[in-house]
Amino acid sequence: MDFKDEIKQFGDRVEKLKAQISTEEATKNAFIMPFINALGYDVFNPLEVVPEFIADIGIKKGEKVDYAIMKDGQPTILVECKHWSENLDPHNSQLFRYFHTTKAKFGLLSNGIIFRFYTDLVEKNKMDEKPFLEFNVTDIKDNQIEELKKFHKSYFNVENIVNTASELKYMNELKSFIHTEFQNPTDNFVRHFAKQAYSGVLIAKLMEQFTGLTKKSIQQYINDLITERLKSALKKENDDEQKAIEQETALATDEINESKIETSDEEMEGFMIVKTILRQKIASNRIAFRDAQSYFAILLDDNNRKTICRLYLNGTKNYLAVIDEQKKEIKHEIATLDDIFNFAETLHKIVATYDATDKKTQ
């Protein structure tokens, strides 16, 4: 099972079990420890994970953080846990106090459902107030799983995570800002767009009007965007379905056509003549045939790209056809099958050309 599937499965498990989890300790055992384990760390190995890690704060001794994920004998991720039903907002200060007393580079605050990852982007050795990565594990997005994967033991690299943490942090803040403005546009936001559409003075009454128009325009734009995406997805689905139908139809047609093909005694006699001509210089088992509705093909090595000749023996006139260097078919009329012997030299040259080409590509 890959990491993505494991995290998705873990999220499903949390959703099913949370109603049965009544204490903080049970949350740790049922949710937090399995999560740490999913990141590739052995929760029962004190060299990797230390429970009740002591993080003395000033004159206060014996302060403990729930878990410390270790690397090279030092804590690298501090994990503070709360009961799954608790709001995490009031508790980041506790993790904040622990953070600057250790050498840990990351802090994780979680109730087993919401996971918040912190670092020190604003001020070195001082945990930021806002997380750079936050997700609900029961509804985690693929891009969030990709960021979480960087914390897996197999991929963990402090520098790599820190380099992307800043971008993630500001993107989250910008998304939050955009969400707020889209729901309830501020005057500055409305004024920015109103000035593009209206050249006059924006008095209070006009600002009120443009506030409503801005909100409607945003909603309409998002709806149009979603509609366009849906149309595109449906078109692709329909195109794929049509392509599948065409392929099935082609296969069915081929099967029907094959069922109509009957190899005649005359065609088999012609094949034996060609085989007799060529077996003087190549093994007879290299000469094969494939019958079609309009012609009888004789091939080298049973390969469609190595056509030796084609026999047309079903019409009022009979032909032996060969393929020239420009891939064009050249037909030669034959009165009887014995006339095939007249093309012995040509057939030998065709086979020799195919073999020479194969040697060059080897």
Side-chain angles (χ1 to χ4, degrees):
M1 184 185 303
D2 65 15
F3 183 70
K4 178 181 175 181
D5 292 335
E6 190 171 0
I7 293 300
K8 293 276 191 181
Q9 191 177 82
F10 171 72
D12 293 340
R13 182 173 181 269
V14 169
E15 185 65 37
K16 291 176 183 177
L17 294 180
K18 67 180 183 180
Q20 311 302 319
I21 307 300
S22 57
T23 65
E24 183 177 303
E25 196 62 29
T27 301
K28 293 179 188 178
N29 293 332
F31 298 159
I32 305 301
M33 289 176 67
F35 176 78
I36 295 174
N37 188 67
L39 292 179
Y41 299 98
D42 183 354
V43 293
F44 300 110
N45 182 353
L47 296 177
E48 293 190 7
V49 181
V50 178
E52 298 294 310
F53 181 79
I54 296 175
D56 293 335
I57 304 172
I59 60 172
K60 293 184 69 175
K61 303 296 181 183
E63 287 289 312
K64 297 177 180 178
V65 64
D66 291 316
Y67 298 98
I69 296 176
M70 311 295 287
K71 185 178 182 182
D72 300 327
Q74 294 293 335
T76 187
I77 306 173
L78 300 180
V79 185
E80 184 64 18
C81 316
K82 299 300 170 187
H83 183 256
W84 70 266
S85 63
E86 281 196 51
N87 184 343
L88 294 178
D89 291 339
H91 299 294
N92 64 343
S93 58
Q94 189 175 5
L95 187 59
F96 179 89
R97 293 198 308 273
Y98 298 146
F99 188 86
H100 78 278
T101 65
T102 72
K103 293 184 179 181
K105 189 63 179 176
F106 303 101
L108 169 58
L109 177 63
S110 177
N111 58 11
I113 297 177
I114 305 299
F115 289 79
R116 294 177 178 176
F117 286 84
Y118 299 82
T119 190
D120 55 351
L121 295 172
V122 177
E123 188 176 339
K124 193 173 182 181
N125 299 324
K126 185 178 179 182
M127 194 182 87
D128 299 334
E129 292 183 7
K130 296 180 179 180
F132 67 88
L133 175 62
E134 179 177 351
F135 58 83
N136 181 327
V137 78
T138 65
D139 187 30
I140 190 168
K141 309 296 187 295
D142 287 351
N143 65 307
Q144 293 171 330
I145 294 177
E146 286 303 308
E147 295 302 326
L148 176 61
K149 189 176 182 179
K150 294 174 184 176
F151 285 93
H152 193 281
K153 180 183 174 182
S154 301
Y155 311 102
F156 187 80
N157 181 287
V158 172
E159 186 177 350
N160 184 32
I161 298 174
V162 171
N163 286 341
T164 57
S166 178
E167 182 179 323
L168 282 172
K169 178 177 182 291
Y170 293 122
M171 278 183 62
N172 289 336
E173 292 182 5
L174 286 169
K175 284 194 292 185
S176 177
F177 165 75
I178 291 169
H179 174 77
T180 301
E181 290 287 2
F182 279 13
Q183 295 298 316
N184 296 293
T186 61
D187 285 351
N188 287 337
F189 188 82
V190 172
R191 196 179 300 276
H192 172 77
F193 291 101
K195 283 182 177 180
Q196 317 301 317
Y198 182 76
S199 58
V201 178
L202 293 169
I203 60 176
K205 187 175 181 180
L206 282 171
M207 278 296 293
E208 183 179 350
Q209 181 182 356
F210 270 108
T211 297
L213 290 174
T214 301
K215 190 171 182 178
K216 286 181 180 179
S217 298
I218 290 170
Q219 291 172 344
Q220 186 62 57
Y221 173 75
I222 293 173
N223 288 339
D224 290 346
L225 198 61
I226 292 171
T227 301
E228 192 61 35
R229 289 278 181 89
L230 288 173
K231 284 182 179 178
S232 179
L234 286 171
K235 183 179 183 301
K236 185 178 184 303
E237 186 177 328
N238 289 336
D239 289 346
D240 290 344
E241 186 176 341
Q242 182 61 35
K243 188 176 180 181
I245 291 171
E246 289 174 358
Q247 289 176 340
E248 289 177 7
T249 303
L251 287 172
T253 302
D254 288 344
E255 289 177 1
I256 291 170
N257 289 338
E258 286 179 10
S259 67
K260 292 180 179 179
I261 295 171
E262 292 184 9
T263 302
S264 66
D265 292 339
E266 194 175 24
E267 287 170 331
M268 284 306 299
E269 186 179 346
F271 171 67
M272 294 308 295
I273 292 173
V274 172
K275 199 169 185 177
T276 300
I277 293 170
L278 296 175
R279 68 189 303 172
Q280 300 170 23
K281 294 186 177 181
I282 64 172
S284 61
N285 60 7
R286 294 187 63 195
I287 307 166
F289 72 85
R290 294 188 191 179
D291 202 355
Q293 280 191 301
S294 58
Y295 61 80
F296 181 89
I298 301 175
L299 313 172
L300 181 65
D301 300 327
D302 201 16
N303 187 334
N304 273 329
R305 295 183 179 180
K306 296 182 179 181
T307 300
I308 298 170
C309 65
R310 292 171 180 170
L311 301 179
Y312 291 84
L313 306 176
N314 298 323
T316 54
K317 292 184 178 182
N318 295 332
Y319 299 91
L320 179 144
V322 294
I323 311 298
D324 68 10
E325 293 179 355
Q326 284 72 44
K327 305 299 181 184
K328 291 182 180 179
E329 185 181 60
I330 301 174
K331 288 184 176 181
H332 302 279
E333 186 177 347
I334 54 176
T336 67
L337 290 177
D338 287 341
D339 288 345
I340 295 174
F341 285 104
N342 298 331
F343 298 92
E345 186 178 350
T346 300
L347 298 178
H348 280 300
K349 283 182 179 179
I350 291 171
V351 170
T353 300
Y354 286 136
D355 282 344
T357 303
D358 286 345
K359 287 179 180 179
K360 287 181 182 178
T361 57
Q362 288 176 354

